[in-house]
Short mmCIF file of all heavy atoms in Angstrom, two decimals:
data_model
loop_
_atom_site.label_atom_id
_atom_site.label_comp_id
_atom_site.label_asym_id
_atom_site.label_seq_id
_atom_site.Cartn_x
_atom_site.Cartn_y
_atom_site.Cartn_z
N MET I 1 0.86 -1.22 0.02
CA MET I 1 -0.03 -0.02 0.04
C MET I 1 0.83 1.17 -0.04
O MET I 1 1.57 1.51 1.02
CB MET I 1 -0.89 0.01 1.25
CG MET I 1 -2.27 -0.15 0.99
SD MET I 1 -3.23 -0.17 2.52
CE MET I 1 -4.76 0.10 1.92
N ALA I 2 0.83 1.95 -1.04
CA ALA I 2 1.67 3.12 -1.24
C ALA I 2 1.39 4.15 -0.07
O ALA I 2 2.46 4.80 0.33
CB ALA I 2 1.47 3.82 -2.57
N GLU I 3 0.20 4.37 0.37
CA GLU I 3 -0.04 5.39 1.36
C GLU I 3 0.53 4.99 2.72
O GLU I 3 0.55 5.76 3.58
CB GLU I 3 -1.59 5.68 1.56
CG GLU I 3 -2.39 4.53 1.92
CD GLU I 3 -3.00 3.71 0.84
OE1 GLU I 3 -2.69 4.00 -0.41
OE2 GLU I 3 -3.89 2.89 1.08
N LEU I 4 1.02 3.80 2.91
CA LEU I 4 1.63 3.43 4.21
C LEU I 4 3.13 3.52 4.14
O LEU I 4 3.75 3.23 5.14
CB LEU I 4 1.22 1.91 4.48
CG LEU I 4 -0.31 1.66 4.71
CD1 LEU I 4 -0.48 0.19 5.00
CD2 LEU I 4 -0.75 2.50 5.81
N THR I 5 3.70 3.90 3.04
CA THR I 5 5.10 4.15 2.95
C THR I 5 5.51 5.29 4.01
O THR I 5 4.83 6.36 4.03
CB THR I 5 5.54 4.72 1.57
OG1 THR I 5 5.17 3.65 0.65
CG2 THR I 5 6.95 4.96 1.56
N GLY I 6 6.36 4.95 4.77
CA GLY I 6 6.78 5.99 5.86
C GLY I 6 6.09 5.70 7.13
O GLY I 6 6.32 6.52 8.11
N ALA I 7 5.30 4.69 7.18
CA ALA I 7 4.56 4.51 8.51
C ALA I 7 5.50 4.13 9.64
O ALA I 7 6.40 3.34 9.46
CB ALA I 7 3.46 3.33 8.35
N GLN I 8 5.25 4.80 10.75
CA GLN I 8 6.11 4.51 11.94
C GLN I 8 5.25 3.65 12.90
O GLN I 8 4.34 4.28 13.60
CB GLN I 8 6.64 5.76 12.53
CG GLN I 8 7.60 6.49 11.66
CD GLN I 8 8.00 7.92 12.23
OE1 GLN I 8 7.55 8.32 13.20
NE2 GLN I 8 8.81 8.59 11.43
N TRP I 9 5.46 2.44 13.00
CA TRP I 9 4.57 1.52 13.79
C TRP I 9 5.08 1.52 15.19
O TRP I 9 6.26 1.61 15.62
CB TRP I 9 4.74 0.07 13.22
CG TRP I 9 4.18 0.00 11.84
CD1 TRP I 9 4.87 0.00 10.62
CD2 TRP I 9 2.79 -0.11 11.42
NE1 TRP I 9 3.98 -0.06 9.56
CE2 TRP I 9 2.68 -0.19 10.05
CE3 TRP I 9 1.61 -0.22 12.19
CZ2 TRP I 9 1.53 -0.29 9.34
CZ3 TRP I 9 0.37 -0.21 11.47
CH2 TRP I 9 0.34 -0.35 10.15
N ARG I 10 4.09 1.52 16.05
CA ARG I 10 4.40 1.37 17.53
C ARG I 10 3.36 0.45 18.10
O ARG I 10 2.27 0.23 17.68
CB ARG I 10 4.34 2.71 18.22
CG ARG I 10 2.93 3.34 18.16
CD ARG I 10 2.87 4.62 19.07
NE ARG I 10 1.49 5.22 18.90
CZ ARG I 10 0.38 4.85 19.54
NH1 ARG I 10 0.42 3.76 20.33
NH2 ARG I 10 -0.73 5.51 19.33
N LYS I 11 3.85 -0.32 19.14
CA LYS I 11 2.88 -1.22 19.88
C LYS I 11 1.78 -0.40 20.58
O LYS I 11 2.11 0.64 21.24
CB LYS I 11 3.67 -2.06 20.80
CG LYS I 11 2.93 -3.04 21.52
CD LYS I 11 3.80 -3.85 22.53
CE LYS I 11 2.93 -4.57 23.51
NZ LYS I 11 3.74 -5.35 24.55
N SER I 12 0.64 -0.91 20.53
CA SER I 12 -0.46 -0.20 21.18
C SER I 12 -0.27 -0.33 22.75
O SER I 12 0.21 -1.37 23.22
CB SER I 12 -1.80 -0.90 20.86
OG SER I 12 -2.86 -0.42 21.75
N THR I 13 -0.52 0.78 23.41
CA THR I 13 -0.36 0.69 24.86
C THR I 13 -1.36 -0.17 25.60
O THR I 13 -1.11 -0.66 26.70
CB THR I 13 -0.46 2.05 25.48
OG1 THR I 13 -1.81 2.62 25.10
CG2 THR I 13 0.54 3.10 25.01
N ARG I 14 -2.35 -0.58 24.83
CA ARG I 14 -3.38 -1.55 25.34
C ARG I 14 -3.10 -3.03 25.02
O ARG I 14 -3.79 -3.92 25.51
CB ARG I 14 -4.80 -1.15 24.80
CG ARG I 14 -5.24 0.17 25.25
CD ARG I 14 -5.41 0.17 26.62
NE ARG I 14 -6.56 0.96 26.99
CZ ARG I 14 -6.93 1.17 28.28
NH1 ARG I 14 -6.22 0.71 29.29
NH2 ARG I 14 -7.98 1.91 28.52
N SER I 15 -2.00 -3.29 24.41
CA SER I 15 -1.73 -4.64 24.01
C SER I 15 -1.25 -5.51 25.17
O SER I 15 -1.43 -6.66 25.18
CB SER I 15 -0.62 -4.65 22.84
OG SER I 15 -1.21 -4.24 21.64
N GLY I 16 -0.50 -4.87 26.11
CA GLY I 16 -0.08 -5.58 27.26
C GLY I 16 1.06 -6.55 26.93
O GLY I 16 1.72 -6.43 25.87
N SER I 17 1.27 -7.47 27.75
CA SER I 17 2.37 -8.46 27.58
C SER I 17 1.81 -9.82 27.52
O SER I 17 2.09 -10.70 28.46
CB SER I 17 3.51 -8.34 28.66
OG SER I 17 2.89 -8.52 29.92
N ASN I 18 0.95 -10.15 26.62
CA ASN I 18 0.19 -11.42 26.64
C ASN I 18 0.67 -12.41 25.62
O ASN I 18 -0.07 -12.98 24.82
CB ASN I 18 -1.35 -11.16 26.40
CG ASN I 18 -1.57 -10.28 25.18
OD1 ASN I 18 -0.67 -9.92 24.47
ND2 ASN I 18 -2.84 -9.96 24.98
N GLY I 19 2.05 -12.62 25.57
CA GLY I 19 2.57 -13.60 24.69
C GLY I 19 2.67 -13.24 23.23
O GLY I 19 2.51 -14.17 22.39
N GLY I 20 2.71 -11.97 22.83
CA GLY I 20 2.86 -11.69 21.44
C GLY I 20 1.60 -11.31 20.78
O GLY I 20 1.62 -10.99 19.54
N ASN I 21 0.43 -11.29 21.43
CA ASN I 21 -0.81 -10.92 20.81
C ASN I 21 -0.94 -9.35 20.92
O ASN I 21 -1.50 -8.86 21.77
CB ASN I 21 -1.94 -11.53 21.50
CG ASN I 21 -1.94 -13.03 21.37
OD1 ASN I 21 -1.62 -13.42 20.32
ND2 ASN I 21 -2.39 -13.75 22.37
N CYS I 22 -0.23 -8.69 19.97
CA CYS I 22 -0.20 -7.29 20.03
C CYS I 22 -0.67 -6.62 18.85
O CYS I 22 -0.73 -7.16 17.69
CB CYS I 22 1.35 -6.84 20.12
SG CYS I 22 2.21 -7.44 21.59
N VAL I 23 -1.15 -5.39 19.02
CA VAL I 23 -1.61 -4.49 17.84
C VAL I 23 -0.66 -3.41 17.76
O VAL I 23 -0.15 -2.87 18.70
CB VAL I 23 -3.06 -3.97 18.26
CG1 VAL I 23 -3.45 -3.00 17.15
CG2 VAL I 23 -4.03 -5.10 18.33
N GLU I 24 -0.31 -3.10 16.49
CA GLU I 24 0.60 -1.97 16.21
C GLU I 24 -0.23 -0.90 15.56
O GLU I 24 -1.02 -1.23 14.73
CB GLU I 24 1.77 -2.44 15.32
CG GLU I 24 2.72 -3.36 16.07
CD GLU I 24 3.90 -3.83 15.23
OE1 GLU I 24 3.76 -3.90 13.99
OE2 GLU I 24 4.97 -4.00 15.86
N VAL I 25 0.14 0.29 15.87
CA VAL I 25 -0.59 1.44 15.28
C VAL I 25 0.43 2.35 14.72
O VAL I 25 1.48 2.62 15.19
CB VAL I 25 -1.37 2.18 16.33
CG1 VAL I 25 -2.07 3.47 15.86
CG2 VAL I 25 -2.33 1.34 17.08
N ALA I 26 0.11 2.95 13.43
CA ALA I 26 0.92 3.99 12.88
C ALA I 26 0.04 5.21 12.70
O ALA I 26 -1.09 5.16 11.92
CB ALA I 26 1.43 3.57 11.52
N ASN I 27 0.24 6.31 13.45
CA ASN I 27 -0.54 7.45 13.35
C ASN I 27 0.19 8.63 12.88
O ASN I 27 -0.18 9.87 13.15
CB ASN I 27 -1.30 7.75 14.63
CG ASN I 27 -0.43 7.95 15.84
OD1 ASN I 27 0.82 7.75 15.67
ND2 ASN I 27 -0.99 8.29 17.02
N ASN I 28 1.27 8.42 12.16
CA ASN I 28 2.13 9.48 11.69
C ASN I 28 1.91 9.88 10.28
O ASN I 28 2.47 10.72 9.68
CB ASN I 28 3.59 9.27 11.87
CG ASN I 28 4.08 8.06 10.92
OD1 ASN I 28 3.41 6.99 10.97
ND2 ASN I 28 5.10 8.22 10.13
N LEU I 29 0.85 9.25 9.65
CA LEU I 29 0.48 9.41 8.30
C LEU I 29 -0.58 10.57 8.12
O LEU I 29 -1.59 10.48 8.97
CB LEU I 29 0.04 8.15 7.62
CG LEU I 29 1.03 6.99 7.83
CD1 LEU I 29 0.45 5.65 7.42
CD2 LEU I 29 2.27 7.29 6.79
N PRO I 30 -0.50 11.33 7.12
CA PRO I 30 -1.58 12.47 7.05
C PRO I 30 -2.84 11.86 6.64
O PRO I 30 -2.95 11.13 5.64
CB PRO I 30 -1.00 13.34 5.87
CG PRO I 30 0.29 12.73 5.39
CD PRO I 30 0.63 11.38 6.21
N GLY I 31 -3.80 12.13 7.45
CA GLY I 31 -5.27 11.81 7.23
C GLY I 31 -5.52 10.30 7.39
O GLY I 31 -6.57 9.78 6.85
N LEU I 32 -4.63 9.60 7.89
CA LEU I 32 -4.80 8.18 8.03
C LEU I 32 -4.18 7.49 9.33
O LEU I 32 -3.16 7.97 9.68
CB LEU I 32 -4.08 7.49 6.85
CG LEU I 32 -4.16 5.99 6.58
CD1 LEU I 32 -5.56 5.66 6.20
CD2 LEU I 32 -3.11 5.55 5.53
N VAL I 33 -4.89 6.63 9.98
CA VAL I 33 -4.33 5.75 11.09
C VAL I 33 -4.37 4.32 10.62
O VAL I 33 -5.38 3.87 10.20
CB VAL I 33 -5.15 5.93 12.39
CG1 VAL I 33 -4.63 5.14 13.46
CG2 VAL I 33 -5.13 7.45 12.80
N ALA I 34 -3.32 3.66 10.73
CA ALA I 34 -3.17 2.25 10.30
C ALA I 34 -2.95 1.30 11.47
O ALA I 34 -2.28 1.66 12.37
CB ALA I 34 -2.02 2.15 9.27
N VAL I 35 -3.50 0.19 11.45
CA VAL I 35 -3.56 -0.82 12.48
C VAL I 35 -3.20 -2.14 11.94
O VAL I 35 -3.75 -2.59 10.93
CB VAL I 35 -4.88 -0.87 13.26
CG1 VAL I 35 -4.76 -1.87 14.43
CG2 VAL I 35 -5.23 0.40 13.76
N ARG I 36 -2.23 -2.88 12.52
CA ARG I 36 -1.91 -4.27 12.07
C ARG I 36 -1.56 -5.22 13.25
O ARG I 36 -1.26 -4.75 14.40
CB ARG I 36 -0.69 -4.14 11.15
CG ARG I 36 0.61 -3.88 11.83
CD ARG I 36 1.74 -3.80 10.83
NE ARG I 36 3.02 -3.50 11.55
CZ ARG I 36 4.19 -3.27 10.91
NH1 ARG I 36 4.25 -3.28 9.57
NH2 ARG I 36 5.26 -3.02 11.59
N ASP I 37 -1.55 -6.46 12.95
CA ASP I 37 -1.15 -7.48 13.92
C ASP I 37 0.45 -7.51 13.96
O ASP I 37 1.02 -7.66 12.89
CB ASP I 37 -1.69 -8.79 13.48
CG ASP I 37 -1.42 -9.96 14.41
OD1 ASP I 37 -0.59 -9.82 15.32
OD2 ASP I 37 -2.04 -11.00 14.27
N SER I 38 0.95 -7.36 15.14
CA SER I 38 2.47 -7.36 15.17
C SER I 38 3.03 -8.77 14.80
O SER I 38 4.22 -8.74 14.41
CB SER I 38 2.93 -7.07 16.64
OG SER I 38 2.51 -8.07 17.58
N LYS I 39 2.31 -9.82 14.86
CA LYS I 39 2.83 -11.13 14.50
C LYS I 39 2.89 -11.21 12.91
O LYS I 39 3.47 -12.14 12.44
CB LYS I 39 1.97 -12.26 15.04
CG LYS I 39 2.11 -12.31 16.59
CD LYS I 39 1.32 -13.47 17.18
CE LYS I 39 -0.19 -13.58 16.76
NZ LYS I 39 -1.04 -12.49 17.11
N ALA I 40 2.18 -10.37 12.21
CA ALA I 40 2.15 -10.51 10.75
C ALA I 40 2.27 -9.17 10.16
O ALA I 40 1.37 -8.57 9.50
CB ALA I 40 0.77 -11.09 10.34
N PRO I 41 3.50 -8.54 10.29
CA PRO I 41 3.68 -7.22 9.81
C PRO I 41 3.58 -7.08 8.24
O PRO I 41 3.21 -5.94 7.81
CB PRO I 41 5.13 -6.79 10.27
CG PRO I 41 5.80 -8.17 10.52
CD PRO I 41 4.62 -9.13 10.95
N ALA I 42 3.70 -8.11 7.46
CA ALA I 42 3.44 -8.04 6.06
C ALA I 42 1.95 -8.36 5.70
O ALA I 42 1.64 -8.29 4.52
CB ALA I 42 4.39 -8.91 5.40
N GLY I 43 1.17 -8.72 6.74
CA GLY I 43 -0.21 -9.09 6.48
C GLY I 43 -1.10 -7.96 6.31
O GLY I 43 -0.68 -6.76 6.01
N PRO I 44 -2.43 -8.16 6.38
CA PRO I 44 -3.43 -7.12 6.15
C PRO I 44 -3.26 -5.93 7.22
O PRO I 44 -2.90 -6.09 8.37
CB PRO I 44 -4.79 -7.79 6.35
CG PRO I 44 -4.49 -9.13 6.99
CD PRO I 44 -2.99 -9.44 6.74
N VAL I 45 -3.60 -4.70 6.81
CA VAL I 45 -3.71 -3.56 7.57
C VAL I 45 -5.10 -2.97 7.51
O VAL I 45 -5.62 -2.82 6.51
CB VAL I 45 -2.56 -2.55 7.05
CG1 VAL I 45 -2.71 -1.25 7.81
CG2 VAL I 45 -1.21 -3.13 7.13
N LEU I 46 -5.60 -2.53 8.69
CA LEU I 46 -6.83 -1.82 8.79
C LEU I 46 -6.49 -0.36 8.74
O LEU I 46 -5.59 0.06 9.41
CB LEU I 46 -7.65 -2.15 10.01
CG LEU I 46 -8.13 -3.63 10.11
CD1 LEU I 46 -8.75 -3.76 11.51
CD2 LEU I 46 -9.06 -3.96 9.05
N THR I 47 -7.25 0.50 8.01
CA THR I 47 -6.99 1.91 8.01
C THR I 47 -8.33 2.65 8.49
O THR I 47 -9.37 2.15 8.17
CB THR I 47 -6.58 2.41 6.71
OG1 THR I 47 -7.47 2.07 5.65
CG2 THR I 47 -5.16 1.77 6.30
N PHE I 48 -8.09 3.69 9.16
CA PHE I 48 -9.15 4.51 9.69
C PHE I 48 -8.88 6.02 9.40
O PHE I 48 -7.72 6.35 9.43
CB PHE I 48 -9.23 4.39 11.21
CG PHE I 48 -9.50 2.96 11.71
CD1 PHE I 48 -8.52 2.03 11.92
CD2 PHE I 48 -10.77 2.57 11.90
CE1 PHE I 48 -8.66 0.80 12.37
CE2 PHE I 48 -11.01 1.28 12.37
CZ PHE I 48 -9.98 0.39 12.52
N SER I 49 -9.87 6.82 9.31
CA SER I 49 -9.61 8.24 9.41
C SER I 49 -9.24 8.60 10.86
O SER I 49 -9.64 7.84 11.78
CB SER I 49 -10.85 9.03 9.02
OG SER I 49 -11.94 8.91 10.02
N PRO I 50 -8.59 9.69 11.08
CA PRO I 50 -8.20 10.04 12.43
C PRO I 50 -9.45 10.18 13.29
O PRO I 50 -9.48 9.77 14.44
CB PRO I 50 -7.43 11.40 12.24
CG PRO I 50 -6.85 11.24 10.93
CD PRO I 50 -7.86 10.55 10.10
N THR I 51 -10.57 10.79 12.75
CA THR I 51 -11.82 10.89 13.59
C THR I 51 -12.35 9.56 13.95
O THR I 51 -12.73 9.34 15.15
CB THR I 51 -12.78 11.67 12.82
OG1 THR I 51 -12.17 12.99 12.51
CG2 THR I 51 -14.05 11.93 13.63
N ALA I 52 -12.44 8.65 12.97
CA ALA I 52 -12.94 7.34 13.26
C ALA I 52 -12.10 6.61 14.29
O ALA I 52 -12.57 5.94 15.14
CB ALA I 52 -13.08 6.46 11.99
N TRP I 53 -10.77 6.80 14.19
CA TRP I 53 -9.81 6.17 15.18
C TRP I 53 -10.06 6.70 16.58
O TRP I 53 -10.19 5.92 17.55
CB TRP I 53 -8.40 6.28 14.79
CG TRP I 53 -7.48 5.67 15.73
CD1 TRP I 53 -6.56 6.29 16.54
CD2 TRP I 53 -7.34 4.28 15.96
NE1 TRP I 53 -5.92 5.37 17.39
CE2 TRP I 53 -6.34 4.14 16.94
CE3 TRP I 53 -7.93 3.11 15.45
CZ2 TRP I 53 -5.87 2.85 17.42
CZ3 TRP I 53 -7.50 1.87 15.95
CH2 TRP I 53 -6.50 1.71 16.88
N VAL I 54 -10.14 7.98 16.75
CA VAL I 54 -10.44 8.54 18.04
C VAL I 54 -11.80 8.09 18.58
O VAL I 54 -11.81 7.66 19.77
CB VAL I 54 -10.43 10.13 18.01
CG1 VAL I 54 -10.96 10.74 19.20
CG2 VAL I 54 -9.00 10.66 17.65
N ASN I 55 -12.88 7.92 17.76
CA ASN I 55 -14.10 7.47 18.25
C ASN I 55 -14.04 6.09 18.65
O ASN I 55 -14.59 5.56 19.65
CB ASN I 55 -15.11 7.63 17.21
CG ASN I 55 -15.53 9.12 16.89
OD1 ASN I 55 -15.32 9.96 17.86
ND2 ASN I 55 -16.00 9.40 15.76
N PHE I 56 -13.27 5.19 17.90
CA PHE I 56 -13.12 3.82 18.26
C PHE I 56 -12.34 3.67 19.59
O PHE I 56 -12.77 2.91 20.42
CB PHE I 56 -12.31 3.12 17.21
CG PHE I 56 -11.79 1.69 17.51
CD1 PHE I 56 -12.75 0.65 17.56
CD2 PHE I 56 -10.49 1.40 17.92
CE1 PHE I 56 -12.26 -0.65 17.93
CE2 PHE I 56 -10.05 0.18 18.30
CZ PHE I 56 -10.98 -0.88 18.23
N VAL I 57 -11.25 4.41 19.81
CA VAL I 57 -10.46 4.31 21.02
C VAL I 57 -11.36 4.71 22.26
O VAL I 57 -11.40 4.12 23.26
CB VAL I 57 -9.18 5.14 20.95
CG1 VAL I 57 -8.55 5.25 22.31
CG2 VAL I 57 -8.27 4.60 19.96
N ARG I 58 -12.07 5.95 22.06
CA ARG I 58 -13.02 6.36 23.17
C ARG I 58 -14.06 5.21 23.45
O ARG I 58 -14.31 5.05 24.63
CB ARG I 58 -13.70 7.60 22.70
CG ARG I 58 -12.86 8.84 22.82
CD ARG I 58 -13.65 10.00 22.46
NE ARG I 58 -12.76 11.16 22.44
CZ ARG I 58 -12.98 12.26 21.67
NH1 ARG I 58 -13.98 12.30 20.83
NH2 ARG I 58 -12.07 13.25 21.76
N ALA I 59 -14.57 4.66 22.42
CA ALA I 59 -15.68 3.56 22.68
C ALA I 59 -15.05 2.37 23.39
O ALA I 59 -15.77 1.83 24.21
CB ALA I 59 -16.27 3.17 21.34
N THR I 60 -13.79 2.01 23.07
CA THR I 60 -13.25 0.82 23.69
C THR I 60 -12.84 1.15 25.15
O THR I 60 -12.86 0.23 25.99
CB THR I 60 -12.02 0.29 22.91
OG1 THR I 60 -11.05 1.26 22.84
CG2 THR I 60 -12.47 -0.25 21.54
N ARG I 61 -12.45 2.39 25.42
CA ARG I 61 -12.15 2.71 26.79
C ARG I 61 -13.35 2.74 27.76
O ARG I 61 -13.17 2.41 28.83
CB ARG I 61 -11.53 4.15 26.85
CG ARG I 61 -10.13 4.14 26.35
CD ARG I 61 -9.49 5.52 26.46
NE ARG I 61 -8.13 5.48 26.03
CZ ARG I 61 -7.42 6.55 25.61
NH1 ARG I 61 -8.00 7.77 25.69
NH2 ARG I 61 -6.23 6.42 25.26
N THR I 62 -14.50 3.03 27.18
CA THR I 62 -15.72 3.05 28.04
C THR I 62 -16.45 1.71 28.04
O THR I 62 -17.37 1.53 28.78
CB THR I 62 -16.67 4.15 27.60
OG1 THR I 62 -17.06 3.90 26.16
CG2 THR I 62 -16.07 5.52 27.65
N ALA I 63 -15.95 0.76 27.21
CA ALA I 63 -16.72 -0.48 27.08
C ALA I 63 -16.30 -1.47 28.20
O ALA I 63 -17.00 -2.44 28.45
CB ALA I 63 -16.26 -1.14 25.73
N HIS I 64 -15.28 -1.22 29.00
CA HIS I 64 -14.94 -2.25 30.09
C HIS I 64 -14.91 -1.64 31.36
O HIS I 64 -15.25 -0.70 31.84
CB HIS I 64 -13.50 -2.83 29.80
CG HIS I 64 -12.44 -1.97 29.55
ND1 HIS I 64 -11.79 -1.30 30.58
CD2 HIS I 64 -11.86 -1.47 28.42
CE1 HIS I 64 -10.78 -0.56 30.10
NE2 HIS I 64 -10.89 -0.57 28.76
#
């Protein structure tokens, strides 16, 4: 995906230390937030608008 060139991936602070089941997020791209499984960095990537990502994070914080 060309729009992911330059993505700076970081482990999600919510991933914890549960044996490698981690989510990585790249939010340094203009107008795009990308999410992937750390065990499959060459695998599929989900992309969100920054607004949709903020709404998702807020919803998950209040869900538990």
Side-chain angles (χ1 to χ4, degrees):
M1 247 180 165
E3 63 265 12
L4 296 179
T5 301
Q8 295 174 359
W9 296 97
R10 64 174 176 79
K11 181 180 167 187
S12 168
T13 57
R14 296 299 217 181
S15 288
S17 57
N18 52 2
N21 295 324
C22 300
V23 172
E24 292 180 329
V25 178
N27 60 353
N28 67 305
L29 303 165
L32 184 71
V33 177
V35 181
R36 70 180 182 185
D37 182 345
S38 65
K39 295 183 306 300
V45 174
L46 298 174
T47 58
F48 300 88
S49 72
T51 301
W53 180 249
V54 167
N55 290 336
F56 171 76
V57 170
R58 283 184 185 150
T60 58
R61 284 184 180 161
T62 59
H64 52 82

